[in-house]
Amino acid sequence: MKALVTGISGFVGSHMAEFLLGKGVEVVGTIRNRSRMNHIESIAKELHLVECELRDPFSVETLIQSEKPDYIFHLAAQSFVPTSWNSPMDTIANNIAGQLNLLEAVRRYDVPARIQIACSSEEYGHVESHEAPIRETNPLRPLSPYAISKVAQDYLGYQYFKSYGLRVVRTRTFNHTGPRRGEQFVTSNFAKQIADIEKGLKPPVIYVGNLEAKRDFTDVRDVVRAYWLALEKGAPGEAYNIASGTCWSIADMLRLLLSFSEVKIEIRQDPARMRPSDVELLLGNYDLFHDATGWSPEIPFERTMEDLLNYWRSQPQPHVEQGA
Ligand code: GDD
């Protein structure tokens, strides 16, 4: 059994790789020359890492033709919503072209792989309160260029299943977090700010954006288990919500994090952290996925957030240059 993980050096990719190695699966992962390797440093020897630019069709064809994976976990993407407002074309081109090249290569070389596509709850976008918990049948009303790119990835998966019979399973994952989460995302950003304050690296003020939004958070370690089950037991062509079925306001999530710390911290709103349009409510219904695979999330959110804060507490202090 050989699995290909695109974006293996990223947050979810590194957890996916660890999970697959634990199952005794041979793991191939794509990296780019500018990829930071710190998340997979400790397991790099057990992985087969291939430099591959997914936007380059030749690079992807060579990869698929030579590796012929059984399972493909397509995780590589520009995944931060605000970046997609600053450079919409880059997010849209990157996320769509990478996937198109992957699907085309699998089709052309007739590789009988099962392919998981990391789609997103952001695709649902604007949700009326009576529509929550959101089911897969909910209308998609995307509110950012990132969300548009994920709708395209989602429907490309559907189209390649219908047109060519590719065994694509689409996972619409709600927010997920845990150790190694990139520091721009809200859970990690707040946890890192708290850890930095505790270390005396910054004054006891935490900067925040929109605290009213509500999100449905799942631990990344539950998410990678879901991705595995999606390919083991999910139906090709289907789209599944991966969610916890509960939601937290960002304000309550912040209160939870602060409850783990002894330090007294002032909360200050930073207008630069507000978005042109924010998705106000994401709360998922994961019955369809549970019925297909038996999956339910196992790690309580409180533990996830404590692990995340401890992750940032354990990170080495940045090197400060001495003298002139
Ligand atoms: N990043 C950030 N920083 N968000 C903040 C802050 C802050 O200081 N303060 C409040 N927020 C609010 C955002 O406005 C948003 O409503 C919520 O916190 C979550 O923001 P993010 O963590 O940046 O995630 P996201 O919900 O935009 O998107 C994430 O989840 C999607 C699935 O729903 C990402 O992981 C996407 O890649 C993923 O597809």
Side-chain angles (χ1 to χ4, degrees), residues 34-278:
R34 55 185 181 280
S35 296
R36 288 175 55 201
M37 302 298 286
N38 51 329
H39 293 340
I40 51 170
E41 229 160 31
S42 61
I43 53 169
K45 279 203 194 79
E46 298 168 74
L47 307 171
H48 175 37
L49 299 175
V50 181
E51 200 171 313
C52 176
E53 170 52 66
L54 293 179
R55 282 169 80 153
D56 173 21
F58 177 76
S59 185
V60 181
E61 280 182 16
T62 309
L63 171 77
I64 294 297
Q65 197 185 9
S66 59
E67 297 298 338
K68 296 191 176 56
D70 302 293
Y71 282 4
I72 300 176
F73 297 95
H74 179 42
L75 309 177
Q78 191 305 98
S79 63
F80 189 47
V81 173
T83 297
S84 79
W85 275 298
N86 299 334
S87 48
M89 182 53 95
D90 192 53
T91 298
I92 287 181
N94 182 72
N95 294 359
I96 298 177
Q99 183 170 315
L100 200 48
N101 289 335
L102 194 62
L103 295 178
E104 269 300 294
V106 170
R107 178 182 80 82
R108 282 216 209 135
Y109 293 99
D110 210 12
V111 175
R114 288 176 174 254
I115 308 165
Q116 173 263 344
I117 307 234
C119 304
S120 168
S121 55
E122 275 288 306
E123 292 172 50
Y124 296 115
H126 174 73
V127 173
E128 300 288 341
S129 50
H130 70 268
E131 293 172 329
I134 307 162
R135 289 183 180 273
E136 290 81 354
T137 46
N138 212 74
L140 305 182
R141 307 184 190 101
L143 292 178
S144 66
Y146 166 78
I148 298 282
S149 78
K150 286 287 156 182
V151 171
Q153 283 193 244
D154 190 322
Y155 279 104
L156 269 173
Y158 176 75
Q159 182 246 314
Y160 271 70
F161 166 71
K162 283 299 229 186
S163 305
Y164 308 116
L166 259 57
R167 292 190 275 172
V168 173
V169 181
R170 298 166 284 154
T171 48
R172 292 185 186 156
T173 309
F174 287 62
N175 291 57
H176 41 296
T177 188
R180 301 182 213 141
R181 187 34 141 171
E183 70 175 276
Q184 67 271 49
F185 298 90
V186 71
T187 47
S188 224
N189 188 278
F190 291 178
K192 181 172 188 293
Q193 288 193 63
I194 294 170
D196 284 350
I197 291 167
E198 289 177 345
K199 291 175 191 173
L201 295 174
K202 71 183 221 91
V205 179
I206 187 163
Y207 290 93
V208 303
N210 175 17
L211 295 183
E212 306 299 314
K214 294 193 173 80
R215 290 289 185 275
D216 178 328
F217 292 101
T218 302
D219 190 291
V220 64
R221 294 158 286 194
D222 279 327
V223 167
V224 297
R225 189 167 50 83
Y227 290 171
W228 169 258
L229 286 171
L231 292 193
E232 286 275 286
K233 299 185 173 171
E238 196 60 86
Y240 296 107
N241 284 344
I242 311 291
S244 74
T246 51
C247 72
W248 286 70
S249 70
I250 301 303
D252 284 344
M253 180 277 289
L254 174 58
R255 263 190 285 277
L256 173 67
L257 267 179
L258 289 170
S259 75
F260 298 135
S261 183
E262 303 280 298
V263 185
K264 197 161 164 32
I265 297 174
E266 181 196 333
I267 300 168
R268 204 175 290 169
Q269 197 169 64
D270 171 6
R273 289 171 183 251
M274 302 301 279
R275 302 179 176 188
S277 53
D278 203 1

Side-chain angles (χ1 to χ4, degrees), residues 277-296:
S277 53
D278 203 1
V279 172
E280 285 304 328
L281 170 68
L282 286 177
L283 167 61
N285 174 310
Y286 66 91
D287 287 353
L288 191 67
F289 191 61
H290 175 77
D291 291 348
T293 67
W295 179 88
S296 300

